[in-house]
Amino acid sequence: MPELLEQSTNTSADLDTTPKPRPSFESLGLIEPLLEAIERLNYKAPTDIQAEALPSALAGRDIIGVASTGSGKTAAFALPILQKLWDEPKGFFACVLAPTRELAYQISQQFEALGSAMGVRCTVLVGGMDMVTQSIALAKKPHIIVATPGRLKDHLENTKGFSLRGLRFLVLDEADRLLDMDFGPDIDAILKAIPKERTTYLFSATMTTKVAKLQRASLTNPVRVEVSTKYSTVSTLLQYYLFIPLSQKDVHLVYLANSQAQNSIIVFTRTVHDAQRLSIVLRNLGFAAVPLHGQLSQSQRLGSLSKFQSGSRKILVATDVASRGLDIPAVDIVINFDIPTHSKDYIHRVGRTARAGRAGKSITLVTQYDVELIQRIEAVTGKKMDLWPTDKEEIALLRERVEEAGRLAATELREEGAKNGHRKRRKGDRDDRDVRDRDDDVVQAGMPTKKRKSKR
C-alpha cells in the first residue's frame, strides 16, 4: 500500500466540530435547469462530498476531493461545470479523464442526465473504438469530452483540427487509479496541450504521494475537501468468508451461485483467464452469467454491462476493471473468487454493493494460501468477517457436474484460442496479398516500385 500523506489543508467544515444541518441543492445556489434534472433523477439531498465541494466549486475554486467509492463524486464536479456552461455556452468546455472505459461512459451518461434541460452534448473518447468515428464526433464540437488519457493523447496528436486550447475545465477522476495504471506520461502530455488558465478538479479515493505530485503540477491554490479520512467499508455491508482448499474453489462458487440464485451477483477474479473460464462454467451449468474484462472488445464489454444492469443476466464475472466507479444500484452480493493483493482493491470491489444506504453482502473465498491477505484486509477495515454457512452434502453432490463443466470450458477456451490464432494468420496473409497486389498495380501503371536493398 502506498504511504498516505497527512492532510495538508482543512476546510472550514473540518475545523468546526458542531454538527450542521445538510443543505438542499437549492440552497447551494444551483440554477433551475439543474434543479429540475436533480428532481427527475430523484436526488433527495446532497451527499457529503457534494455538500462540501459545491460551494467552493460554484465560487470558481480548484478542488481536491477525497472521498470513498459510491460517494457521489461525479455530480460534485458535473454540477458546477454545467452551471458555468449555462452562463458561457461554447464548444470543448470541459474534459474529464477517467481510468477505465466503462467509467468514462458512465460519467458521460450522468453529464447528459444532469444537463438534459440544457441540451448538453458529450463525446466519449476511449480505446477499442473507431478513431475516425470519434473524430467525426469531435468535429461537432461537444461541450464535454470524457476520455481515457491514452486515447485523448492520440486524438490531440493525430486528429486534424482538434485541440483543447479553449478548454475551461479539467477533471481528473479516480486520480489514484489513473496513476496506478501508468497514465502519468499521457496526463503530462495532456497538461501541456491545454490552457494553464483553467479550473481543475481532482478527485481520488486516497491521497498517495503520486496524487500529491499530480496535484502540485495541475491545480492552483485548491480547496481540499475530505469527507472520509478512514479507508473503510460501509456499515450496511455484511462481510463473510469461506475457508476452503484451493482445489475446491470452483465448486464452492457454483454452490454460492446456486444458493443465491435470486440475487444479482458480481464475481471478482484476479485474471482475465479465470473471468472468461468461470463465466463459461456457470453458463454450462445453467446460470445467466456474462464476463467483463480487458480483453473483450469495447462493444462486448458494454454489452455485458448492459445485460447485467438490465437484469437479463444475474451474474457478472469480472476482473478489477469493474471494481471502481461503476454505479450498478441493484448488486446484492459481491463474491471475491480471488482475494486482491491490496486491501484498497478489496474495499473498492465490495463497494459495488451496499450503495446509497442499501444493504449488501460480500463473500470471500479464502484458501490455505490467503490467510495473511484476509488478516490484512480485516486490520485495514477494522471489521472481522463472519463464516458463511455451507451444506457439505450439497457441495459434494455438485462436484462431479462442476468438474465436467470445467472440462467443457477448458475445451471451449482452447478452441476459441485456436480460432483467434487462425484469424490472425489469415489477416497476415491478406495483408501480404494486399502489398503484392499494390505492387502489381503500380507496375502495370508503368510506375516504379520501391527498390529493395540488395543483400549483396
Side-chain angles (χ1 to χ4, degrees), residues 25 30 32-45 50 74-76 78-79 82 106-117 120 327 329 356 358:
F25 283 110
L30 291 175
E32 194 59 38
L34 293 178
L35 293 173
E36 289 174 11
I38 285 167
E39 189 174 349
R40 272 199 306 276
L41 293 169
N42 203 28
Y43 292 0
K44 300 297 184 188
Q50 291 162 8
T74 304
L79 288 168
L82 291 170
Q106 185 171 290
I107 291 169
S108 174
Q109 289 165 3
Q110 193 148 3
F111 262 102
E112 288 174 347
L114 288 169
S116 57
V120 68
D327 186 15
R358 288 181 290 268

Side-chain angles (χ1 to χ4, degrees), residues 148-155 183 186 190:
T148 49
R151 180 49 65 96
L152 179 60
K153 179 172 172 280
D154 287 346
H155 278 288
F183 281 128
D186 295 330
I190 291 164

Side-chain angles (χ1 to χ4, degrees), residues 202-222:
L202 183 152
F203 284 84
S204 184
T206 55
M207 276 303 292
T208 64
T209 51
K210 285 182 179 180
V211 174
K213 286 179 184 175
L214 179 60
Q215 165 209 325
R216 289 193 290 272
S218 58
L219 282 83
T220 304
N221 190 25

Side-chain angles (χ1 to χ4, degrees), residues 22 32 57 65-66 147 153 156 160 225 241 248 267 284 295 332 352 392 396 451:
R22 181 166 293 187
E32 194 59 38
V66 183
K153 179 172 172 280
L156 285 169
K160 189 176 180 181
V225 177
Y241 75 95
Q248 293 185 22
V267 179
N284 287 341
Q295 288 186 11
D332 300 309
R352 298 310 97 206
K392 291 184 179 179
K451 291 183 179 179

Side-chain angles (χ1 to χ4, degrees), residues 96-399:
V96 183
L97 297 181
T100 66
R101 301 170 185 180
E102 287 73 26
L103 181 54
Y105 278 101
Q106 185 171 290
I107 291 169
S108 174
Q109 289 165 3
Q110 193 148 3
F111 262 102
E112 288 174 347
L114 288 169
S116 57
M118 302 166 52
V120 68
R121 299 190 309 277
C122 297
T123 289
V124 179
L125 305 179
V126 296
M129 303 298 279
D130 181 48
M131 284 271 291
V132 175
T133 304
Q134 292 176 350
S135 299
I136 293 168
L138 287 173
K140 296 177 182 176
K141 302 288 186 190
H143 304 113
I144 313 293
I145 295 171
V146 188
T148 49
R151 180 49 65 96
L152 179 60
K153 179 172 172 280
D154 287 346
H155 278 288
L156 285 169
E157 292 174 349
N158 302 308
T159 299
K160 189 176 180 181
F162 171 59
S163 80
L164 294 176
R165 286 191 291 269
L167 195 74
R168 298 294 304 277
F169 284 86
L170 174 69
V171 181
L172 301 158
D173 193 22
E174 301 280 2
D176 50 350
R177 182 91 184 273
L178 282 169
L179 297 173
D180 284 347
M181 295 172 72
D182 295 327
F183 281 128
D186 295 330
I187 294 171
D188 289 341
I190 291 164
L191 289 174
K192 290 174 184 174
I194 62 177
K196 286 185 168 52
E197 294 296 321
R198 63 174 190 270
T199 303
T200 306
Y201 302 147
L202 183 152
F203 284 84
S204 184
T206 55
M207 276 303 292
T208 64
T209 51
K210 285 182 179 180
V211 174
K213 286 179 184 175
L214 179 60
Q215 165 209 325
R216 289 193 290 272
S218 58
L219 282 83
T220 304
N221 190 25
V223 173
R224 175 163 171 165
V225 177
E226 186 162 358
V227 298
S228 57
T229 53
K230 191 175 185 299
Y231 203 56
S232 62
T233 54
V234 296
S235 58
T236 53
L237 175 70
L238 302 175
Q239 300 176 66
Y240 299 92
Y241 75 95
L242 270 176
F243 189 61
I244 55 174
L246 179 65
S247 60
Q248 293 185 22
K249 286 178 82 172
D250 283 10
V251 70
H252 278 81
L253 174 64
V254 172
Y255 168 77
L256 290 172
N258 195 46
S259 61
Q260 303 299 311
Q262 72 279 13
N263 294 308
S264 62
I265 301 170
I266 297 182
V267 179
F268 280 106
T269 68
R270 190 174 292 127
T271 67
V272 167
H273 178 268
D274 269 343
Q276 191 68 25
R277 181 183 67 83
L278 290 171
S279 66
I280 296 171
V281 167
L282 289 165
R283 283 204 305 269
N284 287 341
L285 292 169
F287 296 98
V290 287
L292 179 63
H293 54 73
Q295 288 186 11
L296 295 174
S297 70
Q298 188 57 37
S299 59
Q300 288 172 322
R301 287 163 71 165
L302 292 173
S304 291
L305 200 55
S306 175
K307 288 173 185 174
F308 184 68
Q309 287 174 320
S310 68
S312 65
R313 300 292 185 273
K314 299 293 283 186
I315 302 175
L316 182 71
V317 188
T319 57
D320 279 320
V321 74
S323 68
R324 285 250 197 151
L326 296 184
D327 186 15
I328 309 170
V331 179
D332 300 309
I333 300 174
V334 167
I335 298 176
N336 288 300
F337 183 80
D338 297 310
I339 301 179
T341 307
H342 299 295
S343 302
K344 67 174 184 178
D345 293 328
Y346 169 86
I347 293 169
H348 282 299
R349 285 181 179 187
V350 300
R352 298 310 97 206
T353 186
R355 296 174 74 83
R358 288 181 290 268
K361 298 186 185 77
S362 69
I363 306 169
T364 300
L365 303 187
V366 183
T367 73
Q368 63 269 37
Y369 306 106
D370 302 324
V371 175
E372 186 180 341
L373 288 174
I374 209 73
Q375 289 173 339
R376 196 184 306 162
I377 288 168
E378 289 180 333
V380 169
T381 60
K383 294 179 183 177
K384 287 283 185 184
M385 298 183 198
D386 296 319
L387 181 65
W388 182 269
T390 56
D391 185 330
K392 291 184 179 179
E393 288 185 8
E394 187 176 339
I395 291 169
L397 290 171
L398 284 170
R399 190 168 300 158

